[in-house]
Amino acid sequence: MKTARPYRSHKYPACTRCHKRRSRCTIEIPGSACLLCRVHGVPCSSESVKKDERSTPKIGFIHRSLLPDSGYVDTTSHVVGPVVARDTQIIENYIGPISTDVPDGEQAQNSSVSQALNRPIYQMPIPPRRPSPPAQCNCSRNLPLELLAQVDTYFEKLIDVYFEHLYPAFPLLDEQWFMSKLSDRQALPPTFLANFVAYVLYYWNLGPELMLHAKPDQDFAWSVAVQAMMADHQKADISSILTVVLNVAGRPSKGFVSNLTSVSRAVAISHSGGLNHDSHDWKLDDHVKKLRWKMWWAILIHDRWFNFAQGTPPYINKAHYDVPIPTIDLLAGDRANIQKHYRAAECYIELCELTETVGDILPLIYHVKSGNDGMAAEQTSRSEIELNRWQQTRPKWIDYYNFEDRPLIPGLVNLQLSYLAVRMLLRRLAWHEICQRETDPSPTWLESCLNAAGNIARFASSLSPSELAGFWLPYNAHHFTSAVTLLLRCALQTSDLAVRRRSMTSARTLVDCLRRFKDENNWDLAETALTQCEPILRTIEDALVRKSPTTQPQNIDQTSIGVDDAFWDNPMLQYPGFGWSGQPEQLFPGLFSDLYADPALFEPFPEAQQIR
């Protein structure tokens, strides 16, 4: 049971009577008498405490019982991109509307699929996570300053963690500029410092000395940081851009709508401040030029990869900036002689080059006007060639398909997942384009998609706890969702039993890995894929087990291939979607009642005409 006063709390002392009796002081309602005093009907000293002292605990170390529950945040949804929507729609055509963990009555309005198969639209529910800042304003308190005061003892250690583990992977702040400003705390806005603290707190355990102390409560720190950033939304200076970039890159990522508006705001402020121009010839101090250079590429990465993951068009046009790709000297600086920092800089340069490739692909994906199919196919082929050429020019020590013994370099696993996601995107686009032109495309196109998504499953299986605790761009979590969705689509649209088995096995492997990471390591990047894909996978597998024959072939080793593999190989099962010879509603009872009301939904699948 939650209580207003944690047991044996020195921050919330017991009342006078309980203290003298050495009894447990249980305060169920803040500001009221404790349980023992109420039972004996005597005055309680907790009622005489000043209101500000009993209801406003210290920032950063606030007890979780005083935080709002998860229901405090309303659920919302977003429209996923057309690539993911096609996969999701095909899955729904087989198993009916996909249900996720959304309150009753909201599924109908949060999930919808267009009936036009050439322009699929899908709204994906977003699970509520980070509490929104409180609506009321307590003007007597300066929350950012209180947060900074609470972590002042550890502030220098947090800075060491940032420049040792986070800056190499995502170089944003200029160390010389930052340290010069810290000599006078008043030179940096409290809003920026609050977001910096909330950003680094997630990586508290990376500091050996910090691990010896209790970690401040990051949920409340993020609430303070977001509230302060919202209050300063009219500012448009360098510190405002740095604040937004840190906020969007912060983990755990629990504010989709706020991040969506923050990215667009950062792009708008950057354009107005001229960050999209090369400032090498400008009359500015060198450290300011370096800071502007890093800031622009951080914003560009946010714009391209955030919108790529969320399924929304990017805001920045490739023809509207001339800032060159960062160099080793700019990124590593005085630490370039350290191998860890030098290689981390190489990883970031590779990410910047990959970002340019993503910028060529995304505008064609979200082109809604007709007559663009030929251009999209041409650009897809060209991007595939450019990606192959770019991969050949990588540093020799980087191997994007090395899932076993990769070095522990900051940002390497994030770069590896980003590359695999781009490769998967190009294979999906090529498969879609060939399906538009040919009624019976070669199965190699489907297998190429299966291999690309399967590589992400293999990549996830190879992650170690230390890599999970390292740097990740938070929105890359959506790549796992896309991989599972594509694997399920491959299983549905193939008649090859071996390919179908591989697809389902890879999907189950990926989901199981993410579930283990979430349960054992509390990995926030696993939450989105588990929320959106685990129910779908479970629905399919439960139906297969329920309809699986009672007698299995004698030559199948159940211990080596799993319970469901015998189902795939059984020659008695001939349904084109799963190998079932009966009606789809027999395989998925209760899910196909609405589906058969509109026979046009099965038009993309010629095999299904045999059933009708």
Side-chain angles (χ1 to χ4, degrees):
M1 178 183 70
K2 291 184 178 180
T3 63
R5 178 186 179 276
Y7 182 48
R8 290 185 177 178
S9 171
H10 296 285
K11 192 182 305 179
Y12 308 94
C15 70
T16 303
R17 181 181 178 86
C18 292
H19 180 71
K20 289 182 179 180
R21 295 169 56 93
R22 295 182 179 273
S23 301
R24 179 172 181 177
C25 187
T26 303
I27 301 176
E28 297 179 337
I29 303 176
S32 65
C34 70
L35 181 61
L36 186 63
C37 291
R38 284 194 288 113
V39 170
H40 290 83
V42 297
C44 183
S45 62
S46 64
E47 293 181 303
S48 61
V49 181
K50 293 181 180 180
K51 180 179 179 181
D52 291 341
E53 295 179 359
R54 69 169 180 257
S55 61
T56 55
K58 294 182 179 181
I59 304 301
F61 296 88
I62 186 171
H63 193 261
R64 286 185 178 272
S65 63
L66 299 181
L67 290 175
D69 296 332
S70 59
Y72 176 79
V73 186
D74 295 332
T75 55
T76 183
S77 63
H78 72 100
V79 177
V80 299
V83 178
V84 180
R86 295 188 194 103
D87 298 341
T88 307
Q89 185 182 24
I90 288 175
I91 294 175
E92 285 201 353
N93 285 351
Y94 277 93
I95 70 173
I98 297 174
S99 61
T100 53
D101 297 332
V102 181
D104 294 339
E106 295 185 8
Q107 181 66 32
Q109 62 183 15
N110 282 349
S111 176
S112 61
V113 181
S114 69
Q115 300 301 319
L117 291 174
N118 57 340
R119 293 185 59 186
I121 301 296
Y122 187 81
Q123 286 185 296
M124 182 65 70
I126 305 172
R129 289 181 251 173
R130 180 184 299 167
S132 300
Q136 65 273 16
C137 176
N138 190 344
C139 299
S140 63
R141 306 179 65 192
N142 190 320
L143 297 182
L145 291 181
E146 291 186 32
L147 173 60
L148 295 175
Q150 290 299 313
V151 300
D152 185 69
T153 306
Y154 315 106
F155 193 70
E156 292 184 0
K157 302 302 179 184
L158 290 175
I159 295 175
D160 293 340
V161 169
Y162 173 78
F163 283 106
E164 182 65 25
H165 300 284
L166 304 182
Y167 172 85
F170 192 64
L172 176 61
L173 302 177
D174 184 79
E175 187 172 4
Q176 179 183 357
W177 172 85
F178 186 66
M179 300 306 295
S180 64
K181 293 294 183 180
L182 282 180
S183 59
D184 180 12
R185 292 289 181 89
Q186 304 298 326
L188 290 174
T191 300
F192 164 73
L193 292 177
N195 278 268
F196 175 80
V197 169
Y199 174 73
V200 185
L201 276 183
Y202 183 86
Y203 304 93
W204 177 275
N205 291 332
L206 294 181
E209 298 183 12
L210 293 176
M211 293 177 60
L212 304 177
H213 304 279
K215 177 182 176 181
D217 191 284
Q218 192 182 18
D219 290 341
F220 201 84
W222 269 125
S223 296
V224 173
V226 172
Q227 183 179 7
M229 188 179 67
M230 293 173 60
D232 291 344
H233 72 280
Q234 292 185 348
K235 294 184 178 180
D237 52 8
I238 288 181
S239 64
S240 299
I241 300 177
L242 291 174
T243 300
V244 173
V245 173
L246 286 176
N247 188 275
V248 174
R251 293 174 59 199
S253 180
K254 298 183 178 182
F256 168 77
V257 176
S258 62
N259 286 341
L260 186 66
T261 57
S262 295
V263 171
S264 60
R265 177 191 172 198
V267 173
I269 298 176
S270 301
H271 281 141
S272 65
L275 287 181
N276 56 315
H277 297 291
D278 187 359
S279 61
H280 280 82
D281 298 332
W282 292 15
K283 294 182 179 180
L284 297 173
D285 295 337
D286 288 341
H287 66 273
V288 176
K289 293 180 182 179
K290 293 179 181 179
L291 180 61
R292 293 172 61 92
W293 194 354
K294 296 176 184 177
M295 287 171 56
W296 172 254
W297 276 98
I299 293 169
L300 185 64
I301 288 174
H302 274 339
D303 175 61
R304 297 273 171 82
W305 292 97
F306 178 84
N307 288 290
F308 169 33
Q310 305 293 353
T312 51
Y315 302 109
I316 299 176
N317 190 300
K318 192 173 183 179
H320 295 166
Y321 64 91
D322 60 354
V323 182
I325 290 178
T327 62
I328 295 290
D329 293 337
L330 172 70
L331 302 177
D334 297 336
R335 303 187 184 188
N337 58 340
I338 304 176
Q339 186 184 57
K340 170 185 174 181
H341 290 267
Y342 187 91
R343 288 189 169 183
E346 288 184 316
C347 285
Y348 187 74
I349 293 174
E350 290 288 297
L351 180 62
C352 292
E353 294 176 349
L354 188 61
T355 302
E356 292 282 62
T357 302
V358 173
D360 295 333
I361 303 172
L362 295 186
L364 296 175
I365 298 177
Y366 307 112
H367 192 99
V368 297
K369 293 184 178 180
S370 60
N372 192 54
D373 295 339
M375 184 185 303
E378 181 180 351
Q379 179 60 56
T380 301
S381 301
R382 184 163 57 248
S383 297
E384 186 85 25
I385 296 174
E386 292 178 356
L387 189 63
N388 292 333
R389 185 182 299 114
W390 167 80
Q391 183 185 359
Q392 295 174 357
T393 60
R394 72 188 188 281
K396 294 182 179 180
W397 65 272
I398 297 180
D399 185 359
Y400 295 106
Y401 294 100
N402 180 9
F403 303 133
E404 301 301 333
D405 56 350
R406 52 179 169 254
L408 292 176
I409 301 298
L412 177 59
V413 287
N414 178 79
L415 171 65
Q416 194 173 12
L417 176 60
S418 301
Y419 165 78
L420 296 176
V422 175
R423 181 69 72 181
M424 182 176 64
L425 173 64
L426 290 175
R427 297 291 170 83
R428 293 167 103 169
L429 293 176
W431 186 24
H432 173 71
E433 191 274 333
I434 198 67
C435 289
Q436 296 293 102
R437 292 189 288 108
E438 301 181 10
T439 57
D440 186 19
S442 172
T444 56
W445 295 97
L446 183 147
E447 292 184 9
S448 66
C449 290
L450 171 60
N451 293 332
N455 283 332
I456 294 184
R458 294 173 55 209
F459 165 79
S461 302
S462 67
L463 293 175
S464 63
S466 59
E467 291 173 329
L468 296 176
F471 171 83
W472 296 86
L473 288 174
Y475 35 78
N476 276 356
H478 293 269
H479 298 326
F480 296 118
T481 306
S482 300
V484 176
T485 307
L486 181 58
L487 289 170
L488 294 179
R489 177 183 176 180
C490 291
L492 292 172
Q493 287 198 283
T494 182
S495 57
D496 190 323
L497 296 179
V499 173
R500 187 177 300 129
R501 182 172 57 248
R502 283 178 52 203
S503 301
M504 293 298 296
T505 302
S506 296
R508 171 48 63 186
T509 299
L510 180 53
V511 170
D512 286 347
C513 285
L514 296 177
R515 171 54 62 187
R516 185 175 69 255
F517 296 156
K518 182 67 173 62
D519 296 340
E520 297 179 2
N521 306 95
N522 197 26
W523 198 43
D524 55 317
L525 268 66
E527 183 175 354
T528 301
L530 292 176
T531 302
Q532 298 178 359
C533 298
E534 198 171 29
I536 308 172
L537 182 60
R538 190 183 304 115
T539 298
I540 297 176
E541 291 177 336
D542 289 347
L544 296 179
V545 172
R546 185 169 58 250
K547 291 299 182 180
S548 181
T550 55
T551 58
Q552 306 291 349
Q554 298 297 324
N555 59 345
I556 295 181
D557 184 4
Q558 294 294 326
T559 60
S560 62
I561 65 174
V563 176
D564 295 336
D565 290 345
F567 179 86
W568 300 116
D569 292 335
N570 196 315
M572 298 171 57
L573 310 176
Q574 301 298 327
Y575 175 64
F578 296 100
W580 176 248
S581 59
Q583 298 293 337
E585 61 268 24
Q586 295 175 347
L587 185 60
F588 296 98
L591 294 179
F592 275 80
S593 57
D594 297 332
L595 183 61
Y596 265 75
D598 186 4
L601 289 177
F602 271 92
E603 290 302 329
F605 311 105
E607 301 92 336
Q609 296 177 2
Q610 302 174 4
I611 302 176
R612 292 201 297 269

